[in-house]
Amino acid sequence: MENVVPFKIQILSIIGTLVFMYFIIRQIIRGKLREEYSIVWFACTIIFLIFSFWRKGLEQISAALGVFYPPSLLFLIAIGAIFIFLVHLSIVNSKLQSQIKDLSHEVAFLKANKTKTTLEQSS
Amino acid sequence: MTKPRADILVVIPCYNEESSIQNLVNDIQSVKKQHNLPIDILVVNDCSKDNTLEIVKSLDCLYLDLPVNLGIGGGMQSGYKYAYRNGYKFAVQMDGDGQHPAVELPKLLQEALRNDADIVIGSRFLEGKGFQSSFVRRLGINYFKWLNRILIGKTIHDSTSGFRVFNRKTLEIVNQYYPDEYPEPEAIVLFGLNNLKMKEVPVEMCERQGGVSSIHSFRAVYYMFKVTLGIIFVYIRLKGKYGKCSPIQNSDT
């Protein structure tokens, strides 16, 4: 029984990871996700895949790092990755905000010019 | 771009100011006629939800209609960019809520036209006349005065005043970068580090005639925090860019 449960979860995680990878690829093909943002997701998927196949890996790494409870290492890595990605998103967001500001200025100038031209033509 | 009709552009940022904008523009027009000032008026409508745009269209002034709400900093910057691109020599900021009376405009312009300061700031605390703001706000303003003095070695008594005149040298800088949210105190540090000369002129301000202040109750804490962060970061950024800035001449009146 002890051997069967990890095996089941192994198959589940491999399938889950592959489905996730398929989903990411589909989003890129449909043009809904830019390649540069997909890199981090691919990296995550590959790490998941490695640990899905290499079951003892997590335990070995935990033991080497002196982590008593292996899943907590997984949580730590996952939270670290999420933090980095969130900061990355904030940076992208700030850049977009500044670009939107510049574009709004240009739109406002164009609108003002258009109104002026229309007024000049009508008079 | 187009040839300017005047030397000075008065920029009025507006967000839901339907109750006060008409009076303000008319007041400026009459001051302009009275003193024969070479000014154009540019109202920047920052996506107002009320009737501001319709009112502005009917008035004798230029206007910009921003497609999305950018806040006071983004709105003001569009006005400064407009002034810079259209070759105006000076740009004046005046709030759309009627806090800055048009009759004080010639006083500021007179000082700016003397050309011995890059930025002229209308200060309500130099003579202590007119509306002096609430105690808590004055406390905040004193804190910025202190912060500015430490960072750029210059005392600006009313660093939150939005009644300012910029010359072309200043416009060139704000055309590139202007803080987004609550820009006034941060802009002082920006100017100080760019070695621009600032001068304060005593003016009387009024209590707002219409609209709602963008800073109240719980937002005040956010305001102080955000502005302090903005000031510190703009300081670090520019300090790195220009190295140690030369001491700024004190030109207090």
Side-chain angles (χ1 to χ4, degrees), chain A residues 95-107:
Chain A
K95 190 178 132 200
L96 282 177
Q97 209 174 340
S98 141
Q99 285 173 332
I100 287 172
K101 186 183 78 180
D102 288 343
L103 281 175
S104 313
H105 289 165
E106 298 307 323
V107 170

Side-chain angles (χ1 to χ4, degrees), chain B residues 47-64:
Chain B
C47 247
S48 296
K49 288 182 190 129
D50 62 3
N51 237 348
T52 305
L53 181 65
E54 299 309 314
I55 295 170
V56 169
K57 277 183 181 170
S58 69
L59 298 171
D60 179 17
C61 65
L62 301 163
Y63 67 91
L64 287 178

Side-chain angles (χ1 to χ4, degrees), chain B:
Chain B
M1 273 168 83
T2 44
K3 222 177 135 201
R5 294 181 293 170
D7 281 349
I8 303 160
L9 185 71
V10 178
V11 183
I12 308 167
C14 261
Y15 179 68
N16 296 347
E17 307 283 10
E18 61 178 6
S19 53
S20 53
I21 188 66
Q22 187 163 10
N23 285 340
L24 180 63
V25 172
N26 290 339
D27 285 354
I28 299 172
Q29 288 292 3
S30 61
V31 168
K32 175 185 167 179
K33 279 185 198 115
Q34 201 185 334
H35 294 263
N36 204 17
L37 294 167
I39 58 178
D40 280 343
I41 304 169
L42 176 76
V43 177
V44 179
N45 176 40
D46 194 7
C47 247
S48 296
K49 288 182 190 129
D50 62 3
N51 237 348
T52 305
L53 181 65
E54 299 309 314
I55 295 170
V56 169
K57 277 183 181 170
S58 69
L59 298 171
D60 179 17
C61 65
L62 301 163
Y63 67 91
L64 287 178
D65 183 28
L66 294 175
V68 289
N69 182 276
L70 294 181
I72 175 79
M76 270 321 294
Q77 198 191 16
S78 71
Y80 294 141
K81 268 190 191 171
Y82 185 93
Y84 183 71
R85 290 186 186 185
N86 290 284
Y88 287 94
K89 288 182 183 145
F90 295 96
V92 188
Q93 174 183 349
M94 268 178 100
D95 284 355
D97 55 21
Q99 280 194 80
H100 306 148
V103 285
E104 300 280 10
L105 192 57
K107 222 194 270 181
L108 250 73
L109 289 175
Q110 220 172 21
E111 193 57 52
L113 290 167
R114 255 202 264 159
N115 281 329
D116 53 50
D118 297 305
I119 297 127
V120 178
I121 301 169
S123 169
R124 74 203 108 158
F125 304 127
L126 284 184
E127 282 183 354
K129 282 186 194 160
F131 178 60
Q132 293 287 301
S133 202
S134 67
F135 172 72
V136 181
R137 280 178 196 212
R138 282 208 306 277
L139 212 65
I141 291 164
N142 269 322
Y143 161 71
F144 289 129
K145 184 167 92 178
W146 167 83
L147 197 61
N148 284 335
R149 199 185 296 161
I150 289 178
L151 293 180
I152 60 168
K154 170 121 184 87
T155 307
I156 299 293
H157 297 89
D158 198 353
S159 58
T160 58
S161 161
F163 199 8
R164 303 173 165 190
V165 186
F166 292 172
N167 69 0
R168 217 170 150 72
K169 196 172 149 194
T170 314
L171 284 176
E172 201 180 329
I173 290 165
V174 294
N175 180 50
Q176 301 281 338
Y177 172 76
Y178 195 65
D180 277 338
E181 240 183 341
Y182 318 124
E184 286 86 7
E186 193 181 327
I188 302 260
V189 176
L190 173 74
F191 299 150
L193 289 172
N194 276 292
N195 285 329
L196 295 175
K197 214 171 153 194
M198 288 173 266
K199 194 161 187 180
E200 280 186 286
V201 166
V203 293
E204 265 182 59
M205 290 194 193
C206 311
E207 212 161 340
R208 60 172 52 247
Q209 288 174 9
V212 183
S213 166
S214 56
I215 306 158
H216 46 86
S217 61
F218 66 93
R219 271 188 143 187
V221 180
Y222 169 71
Y223 172 82
M224 297 301 288
F225 187 68
K226 201 264 151 191
V227 174
T228 306
L229 265 189
I231 287 178
I232 290 169
F233 282 116
V234 82
Y235 178 79
I236 296 169
R237 191 189 312 148
L238 292 181
K239 203 74 177 169
K241 200 169 153 192
Y242 296 110
K244 210 164 161 52
C245 64
S246 61
I248 298 148
Q249 271 182 291
N250 207 314
S251 53
D252 289 338
T253 43

Side-chain angles (χ1 to χ4, degrees), chain A residues 10-64:
Chain A
Q10 189 177 16
I11 292 189
L12 268 179
S13 57
I14 291 170
I15 291 172
T17 314
L18 288 177
V19 167
F20 184 68
M21 202 172 224
Y22 168 74
F23 174 75
I24 296 288
I25 291 172
R26 223 168 77 119
Q27 295 302 310
I28 298 174
I29 291 170
R30 286 167 147 202
K32 285 191 174 174
L33 179 66
R34 289 175 61 91
E35 288 84 346
E36 62 245 52
Y37 304 136
S38 67
I39 293 169
V40 67
W41 295 121
F42 272 125
C44 287
T45 328
I46 286 163
I47 291 171
F48 279 139
L49 264 184
I50 290 171
F51 283 116
S52 305
F53 282 109
W54 184 32
R55 278 195 290 160
K56 288 272 171 223
L58 191 63
E59 283 165 34
Q60 282 168 8
I61 295 170
S62 303

